[in-house]
């Protein structure tokens, strides 16, 4: 990481007179006697910026400076722009959109209330030009000598989209004014940069029964469309975004709720190619509400924009449905890891819901290298944590009233611990340790019953299939879940403290007391989720008995899952760890609703928020809560890594310094081939049925314990084959 720049000669600037919806373009020209030896631009904004020098784009960071708890931590970027500076006159131009900072977020709060807290955007930048032979170099810094004018971006907001007028010519330069914003809050880029990562060509143009032109990309993505059109000056383009087609085959996006997710474009004369630059959308389909000609697929490319994470996990199997499921999990992560782990990328939320991140953190860390991504977000979580230790439901916190919920606030402990397990970085764990403890202390201090977490308002087993009519919260008892997570978080604090060499006897005692109180208060378990977390968090007196009871309950329930956000991530793990691997596979491979594969039978290319977002008869779950890109249930893929292929970290040797490899084959899957790039090299575990026998092939770069059936052995780095 670059060292922090503490001295700034630049001043924060914004337009002196408000410009309404139009995005301001700040500019400065200067004379350069010779080209400099080096030129470095430091830049940040309240809002999102695109910078150009002499008409050339600076860097490839999309939606810079990213999304943090701006009031406390605002990233600036550093660009080497030596190649962009020339002899003679130079010009720097910076276009500024509202971005996350100033868009009316969250979108479901009434516009009136939003207006009251309207936030003004601005920029701060410094271009440092080294000696050019003729001068000693100089600094071009934002200050009141800069000019500002309206640009062709006439409107840009996170939820509502972008309007661009390609015919717009600014006829007026206006004054800027300086304003203050604490320099101490500035930090160098900490997360991964957001980039244009993939391009997806349009698959086909559909002429719907309602007579609409709809572009289908065949994949639900997050980003924006690039289109090319040959048009006359003044012709209009209006594009709407959607994730699915309705039952009737027509365009549908009521599930975006108040987010307009619209592109409005005024053409100039001739052939032109354009895409938005200051916002993003979640979409598979585009409705061309206005378009100057009959559209052709080759005119449209979807550009997937997400944090530049390196892919580390690969899973292939003989089962096409499972392969598609894994692809959906990956696309769910790409689409929702746009600087902050969000619930969804399309409707009027797109927020860093802590509970969603908590459920998905393990699989996220296997699929991609997310160490930097989570490092940044967890620093934001700590920054937004209240003095009391309470963790807001979303980070960065944008909700009108700050409240906490069990299984959501626990992101404070679960995510840092998972990062430590996957990457083994002690300093990141140490950074988060205070925040982890504060969360547990908060529960201890705020609960109404000692050692149980009672009271408070929780989301329960969110979207559990056993939810009582009219509720989203599952049938599991909220105090049960809250106490179980209280115990789990306390346990994680104990483990983290020990890993850091601290005396954890106080928290260890607390964990044991919560466990005892839990057992006394909850002698029986009423739902699938209650069984699952009692076992997985080591709270039940007899784990085997509880896991067996869970298996029985699942069969009684029709051999199907009834769990929501809380129980789903662990249900298959509990089954396979207690002798019910067969049932775990039955649930995994089930194709009828409710199941992970059911959405695939309906054409899903990302993970759905609801098990039945589209019902068997094609009708839709209510539009007020029906995202088709909500990664939480995609956590199931961590079972494929850890149980089906059996690749697991070892607590005493985090970051895969050692590994346990315990593959669990099943004939119905046929074969699996999984590889995981770790800090210590690539681990591969594959098995394949040959008749009734299974051939296992394992490659490990570290000392590993391999368990296959009853055989257990410790091996050194190498490749091993077994028959079972
Ligand atoms: C979000 C969820 C989130 C939940 C909290 C929803 O609106 O989309 O994924 O965790 O609220 O209950």
């Amino acid at each position: 990481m670059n060292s922090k720049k503490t001295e700034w000669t630049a001043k924060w600037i914004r337009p002196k007179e408000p410009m309404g919806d139009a995005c301001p373009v700040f500019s400065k020209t200067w004379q350069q006697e010779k080209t400099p030896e080096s030129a470095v631009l430091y830049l940040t904004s309240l809002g999102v910026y695109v910078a150009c020098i002499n008409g050339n784009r600076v860097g490839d960071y999309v939606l810079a400076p990213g999304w943090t708890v701006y009031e406390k931590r605002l990233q600036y970027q550093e660009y080497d722009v030596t190649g962009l500076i020339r002899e003679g006159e130079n010009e720097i131009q910076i276009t500024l959109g509202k971005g996350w900072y100033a868009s009316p977020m969250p979108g479901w709060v009434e516009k009136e209330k939003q207006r009251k807290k309207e936030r003004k955007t601005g920029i701060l930048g410094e271009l440092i030009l080294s000696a050019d032979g003729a001068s000693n170099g100089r600094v071009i810094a934002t200050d009141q000598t800069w000019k500002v004018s309206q640009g062709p971006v006439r409107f840009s907001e996170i939820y509502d989209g972008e309007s661009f007028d390609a015919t717009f010519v600014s006829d007026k330069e206006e004054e800027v004014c300086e304003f203050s914003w604490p320099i101490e809050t500035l930090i160098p880029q900490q997360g991964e940069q957001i980039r244009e990562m993939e391009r997806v060509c349009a698959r086909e143009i559909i002429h719907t029964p309602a007579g609409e032109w709809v572009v289908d990309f065949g994949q639900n993505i997050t980003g924006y469309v690039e289109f090319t059109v040959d048009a006359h000056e003044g012709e209009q383009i209006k594009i709407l975004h959607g994730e699915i087609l309705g039952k009737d085959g027509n365009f549908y996006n009521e599930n975006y709720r108040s987010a307009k997710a619209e592109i409005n474009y005024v053409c100039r004369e001739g052939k032109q190619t354009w895409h938005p630059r200051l916002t993003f959308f979640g979409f598979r389909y585009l409705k061309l509400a206005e378009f100057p000609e009959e559209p052709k697929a080759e005119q449209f490319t979807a550009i997937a924009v997400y944090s530049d994470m390196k892919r580390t996990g690969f899973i292939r199997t003989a089962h096409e449905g499972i392969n598609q499921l894994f692809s959906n999990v990956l696309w769910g992560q790409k689409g929702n890891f746009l600087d902050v782990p969000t619930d969804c990328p399309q409707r009027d939320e797109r927020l860093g819901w802590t509970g969603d991140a908590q459920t998905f953190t393990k699989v996220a860390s296997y699929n991609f290298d997310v160490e930097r991504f989570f490092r940044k977000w967890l620093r934001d979580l700590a920054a937004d944590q209240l003095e009391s230790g309470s963790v807001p439901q979303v980070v960065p916190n944008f909700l009108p009233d700050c409240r906490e919920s069990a299984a959501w606030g626990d992101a404070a402990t679960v995510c840092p611990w998972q990062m430590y397990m996957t990457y083994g970085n002690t300093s990141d764990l140490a950074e988060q340790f205070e925040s982890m403890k504060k969360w547990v202390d908060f529960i201890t201090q705020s609960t109404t019953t000692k050692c149980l977490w009672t009271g408070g308002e929780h989301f329960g087993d969110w979207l559990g299939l056993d939810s009582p009519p009219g509720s989203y919260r599952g049938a599991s008892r909220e105090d049960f879940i809250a106490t179980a997570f209280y115990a789990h978080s306390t346990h994680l604090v104990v483990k983290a403290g020990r890993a850091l060499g601290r005396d954890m006897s106080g928290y260890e005692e607390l964990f044991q007391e919560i466990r005892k109180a839990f057992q006394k208060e909850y002698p029986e378990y009423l739902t699938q989720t209650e069984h699952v977390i009692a076992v997985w968090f080591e709270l039940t007196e007899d784990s085997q008995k509880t896991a067996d009871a869970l298996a029985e309950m699942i069969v009684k329930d029709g051999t199907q899952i009834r769990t929501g956000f809380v129980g789903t991530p662990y249900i298959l793990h509990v089954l396979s760890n207690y002798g019910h691997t067969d049932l775990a596979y039955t649930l995994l491979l089930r194709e009828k609703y409710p199941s992970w594969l059911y959405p695939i039978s309906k054409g899903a290319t990302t993970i759905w928020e609801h098990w039945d977002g589209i019902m068997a008869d094609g009708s839709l779950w209510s539009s007020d809560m029906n995202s088709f890109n909500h990664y939480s249930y995609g956590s199931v893929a961590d079972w494929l890594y850890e149980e089906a292929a059996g690749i697991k970290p070892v607590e005493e040797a985090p970051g895969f310094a050692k590994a346990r490899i315990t593959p669990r084959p099943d004939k119905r899957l046929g074969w699996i081939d999984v590889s995981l790039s770790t800090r210590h090299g690539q681990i591969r575990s594959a098995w394949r049925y040959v008749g009734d026998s299974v051939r296992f092939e394992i490659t490990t770069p570290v000392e590993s314990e391999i368990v296959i059936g009853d055989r257990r052995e410790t091996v050194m780095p190498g490749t091993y084959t077994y028959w079972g």
Side-chain angles (χ1 to χ4, degrees):
M1 198 200 300
N2 296 323
S3 60
K4 181 169 162 161
K5 176 174 163 63
T6 46
E7 301 285 321
W8 291 78
T9 38
K11 302 279 186 280
W12 278 99
I13 55 169
R14 64 163 73 110
K16 201 165 183 183
E17 297 302 326
M19 292 189 161
D21 278 335
C23 290
V25 182
F26 299 87
S27 63
K28 174 86 184 169
T29 52
W30 77 97
Q31 288 294 329
Q32 192 67 38
E33 284 180 35
K34 284 203 176 130
T35 52
E37 272 162 28
S38 77
V40 179
L41 174 65
Y42 296 91
L43 189 57
T44 188
S45 62
L46 295 169
V48 289
Y49 70 79
V50 175
C52 289
I53 293 179
N54 300 324
N56 297 306
R57 171 99 191 248
V58 173
D60 58 358
Y61 193 136
V62 182
L63 301 168
W67 189 12
T68 49
V69 178
Y70 295 124
E71 288 71 16
K72 295 182 182 156
R73 292 159 31 81
L74 174 58
Q75 296 183 130
Y76 63 85
Q77 285 72 44
E78 179 181 335
Y79 303 97
D80 179 349
V81 292
T82 317
L84 301 183
I85 315 288
R86 62 191 177 206
E87 213 179 293
E89 187 170 86
N90 287 268
E91 185 182 31
I92 178 165
Q93 283 189 318
I94 298 160
T95 304
L96 185 61
K98 288 184 187 162
W100 295 282
Y101 176 74
S103 291
M105 298 181 73
W108 66 82
V109 173
E110 303 135 60
K111 288 274 181 227
E112 218 27 63
K113 282 194 191 148
Q114 296 283 12
R115 264 192 279 277
K116 279 194 199 129
K117 59 161 204 177
E118 208 170 303
R119 303 205 267 180
K120 290 186 184 154
T121 56
I123 58 162
L124 176 84
E126 212 163 284
L127 172 60
I128 301 186
L129 299 151
S130 70
D132 59 9
S135 75
N136 287 327
R138 65 172 132 169
V139 178
I140 308 286
T142 48
D143 61 17
Q144 59 192 5
T145 65
W146 283 50
K147 294 287 173 215
V148 66
S149 53
Q150 294 197 12
V153 186
R154 311 305 299 155
F155 173 90
S156 180
E157 269 183 12
I158 293 292
Y159 298 127
D160 284 352
E162 198 154 308
S163 303
F164 189 91
D165 184 348
T167 65
F168 183 84
V169 187
S170 168
D171 53 357
K172 199 157 107 217
E173 276 196 335
E174 296 177 37
E175 303 287 307
V176 301
C177 65
E178 295 176 4
F179 68 98
S180 59
W181 182 273
I183 290 293
E184 317 80 74
T185 57
L186 299 183
I187 53 166
Q189 172 71 25
Q190 187 174 45
E192 299 289 359
Q193 296 206 5
I194 311 162
R195 293 208 166 88
E196 294 185 354
M197 298 294 290
E198 285 175 69
R199 296 174 75 87
V200 179
C201 296
R203 191 160 79 177
E204 59 172 325
I205 306 276
I206 301 167
H207 201 221
T208 68
E212 310 147 314
W213 288 114
V214 169
V215 186
D216 177 10
F217 291 98
Q219 175 61 54
N220 202 12
I221 71 139
T222 300
Y224 35 71
V225 62
E226 179 180 273
F227 59 78
T228 299
V229 67
D230 199 356
H232 292 302
E233 178 170 335
E235 282 183 319
Q236 307 267 344
I237 292 177
K238 186 186 186 74
I239 294 178
L240 307 180
H241 298 73
E243 293 181 289
I244 55 160
L245 294 179
K247 190 178 179 182
D248 44 16
N250 293 323
F251 179 80
Y252 172 90
N253 75 354
E254 273 166 42
N255 62 328
Y256 285 39
R257 308 197 305 212
S258 72
K260 285 194 195 143
E262 233 174 65
I263 291 173
N264 288 288
Y265 180 85
V266 181
C267 304
R268 58 178 166 74
E269 187 68 30
K271 195 166 176 187
Q272 51 214 288
T273 297
W274 182 84
H275 65 71
R277 285 202 158 74
L278 300 164
T279 189
F280 66 94
F281 309 87
F283 65 101
R284 169 177 166 168
Y285 297 96
L286 300 179
K287 172 172 157 175
L288 306 177
E290 287 177 56
F291 203 70
E293 55 188 352
E294 187 166 317
K296 294 188 195 63
E298 58 268 25
Q299 289 174 281
F300 303 90
T301 306
I303 302 178
V305 172
Y306 53 92
S307 291
D308 191 351
M309 316 166 279
K310 190 168 152 265
R311 177 85 182 275
T312 47
F314 297 83
I315 300 178
R316 280 185 311 124
T317 75
H319 192 293
E320 276 318 309
I322 296 297
N323 294 344
Q324 182 64 48
L325 176 66
F326 183 57
S327 166
N328 295 3
V329 174
L330 293 174
W331 276 105
Q333 181 165 354
K334 294 170 187 179
N336 283 296
F337 275 48
L338 202 163
D339 216 29
V340 161
T342 53
D343 56 335
C344 58
Q346 75 300 78
R347 70 178 177 219
D348 55 0
E349 298 214 39
R350 313 188 196 177
L351 299 169
W353 282 99
T354 46
D356 305 43
Q358 182 267 114
T359 62
F360 195 72
T361 186
K362 182 190 280 187
V363 70
S365 74
Y366 293 165
N367 291 336
F368 291 90
D369 184 343
V370 290
E371 189 176 23
R372 274 176 69 125
F373 179 91
F374 270 102
R375 179 181 299 145
K376 164 182 163 287
W377 186 68
L378 286 170
R379 293 320 293 154
D380 282 317
L381 183 147
D384 256 346
Q385 201 165 0
L386 303 187
E387 213 32 62
S388 64
S390 168
V391 174
Q393 296 164 355
V394 304
V395 172
N397 188 13
F398 268 73
L399 299 188
D401 47 346
C402 184
R403 268 183 278 149
E404 62 287 324
S405 164
W408 270 248
D410 298 277
T413 54
V414 173
C415 299
W417 180 252
Q418 186 59 51
M419 291 307 118
Y420 181 60
M421 280 296 99
T422 307
Y423 305 117
N425 185 330
T426 315
S427 63
D428 277 344
L429 188 65
E431 274 280 318
Q432 290 306 125
F433 187 62
E434 278 312 305
S435 156
M436 295 172 79
K437 264 193 341 191
K438 261 172 87 176
W439 169 243
V440 168
D441 295 347
F442 163 77
I443 305 171
T444 304
Q445 274 145 32
S446 64
T447 178
T448 49
T449 319
K450 194 166 177 281
C451 291
L452 299 171
W453 188 2
T454 53
E457 212 190 295
H458 303 286
F459 293 120
D461 187 19
W462 187 248
L463 306 186
L465 282 170
D466 49 10
S467 297
S471 165
Y472 285 129
R473 294 175 188 225
S476 302
R477 290 163 285 181
E478 285 179 16
D479 287 350
F480 181 107
I481 294 173
T483 303
F485 267 93
Y486 179 24
H488 183 48
S489 276
T490 308
H491 201 184
L492 294 180
V493 166
V494 171
K495 291 183 188 193
R498 282 205 199 120
L500 297 170
R502 321 242 169 136
D503 169 21
M504 297 309 292
S505 45
Y507 286 92
E508 170 70 53
E509 213 172 286
L510 175 63
F511 171 60
Q512 293 306 344
E513 278 173 20
I514 301 171
R515 206 167 166 268
K516 257 189 253 149
F518 176 90
Q519 289 175 355
K520 192 155 168 248
E521 185 73 11
Y522 301 111
E524 53 182 20
Y525 313 124
L526 308 181
T527 63
Q528 291 185 8
T529 288
E530 290 188 5
H531 285 81
V532 167
I533 55 176
V535 176
W536 203 240
F537 296 166
E538 300 173 37
L539 302 176
T540 172
E541 271 172 88
D542 187 337
S543 297
Q544 186 62 55
K545 196 170 136 204
T546 309
D548 292 345
L550 168 68
E552 239 173 73
M553 181 178 256
I554 292 171
V555 173
K556 231 195 252 152
D557 284 339
T559 315
Q560 50 181 282
I561 28 184
R562 313 268 294 147
T563 48
F565 275 32
V566 167
T568 304
Y570 321 117
I571 190 166
L572 299 190
H573 289 273
V574 169
L575 291 173
S576 56
N577 275 275
Y578 290 90
H580 301 285
T581 301
D582 192 58
L583 181 56
Y585 271 106
T586 303
L587 295 181
L588 176 74
L589 298 173
R590 181 183 157 97
E591 288 176 7
K592 274 206 331 233
Y593 165 81
S595 68
W596 284 279
L597 292 184
Y598 165 75
I600 289 164
S601 71
K602 292 283 173 192
T605 59
T606 37
I607 301 291
W608 294 356
E609 179 172 28
H610 286 279
W611 296 107
D612 56 349
I614 303 175
M615 302 192 195
D617 67 358
S619 54
L620 302 176
W621 183 275
S622 136
S623 62
D624 75 326
M625 198 68 92
N626 200 14
S627 149
F628 294 93
N629 195 356
H630 231 77
Y631 57 53
S632 286
Y633 292 150
S635 57
V636 68
D638 67 41
W639 187 86
L640 292 170
Y641 287 104
E642 288 198 343
E643 298 298 328
I647 304 172
K648 282 185 213 166
V650 174
E651 232 170 85
E652 303 69 46
F656 292 93
K658 287 186 184 166
R660 281 195 86 217
I661 303 170
T662 60
R664 299 184 197 275
D666 186 286
K667 204 166 189 179
R668 290 167 288 176
L669 195 60
W671 57 260
I672 193 166
D673 194 335
V674 173
S675 69
L676 180 65
S677 288
T678 74
R679 292 287 179 265
H680 297 271
Q682 194 181 59
I683 302 177
R684 173 171 173 259
S685 171
W687 51 255
R688 171 187 294 273
Y689 271 80
V690 181
D692 282 337
S693 307
V694 190
R695 183 178 188 276
F696 297 88
E697 197 172 297
I698 292 166
T699 302
T700 173
V702 292
E703 184 184 318
S704 300
E705 186 188 20
I706 297 182
V707 184
I708 292 179
D710 295 336
R711 188 183 319 162
R712 178 183 296 262
E713 61 181 20
T714 300
V715 300
M716 290 298 126
T719 296
Y720 301 87
T721 29
Y722 302 87
W723 283 92

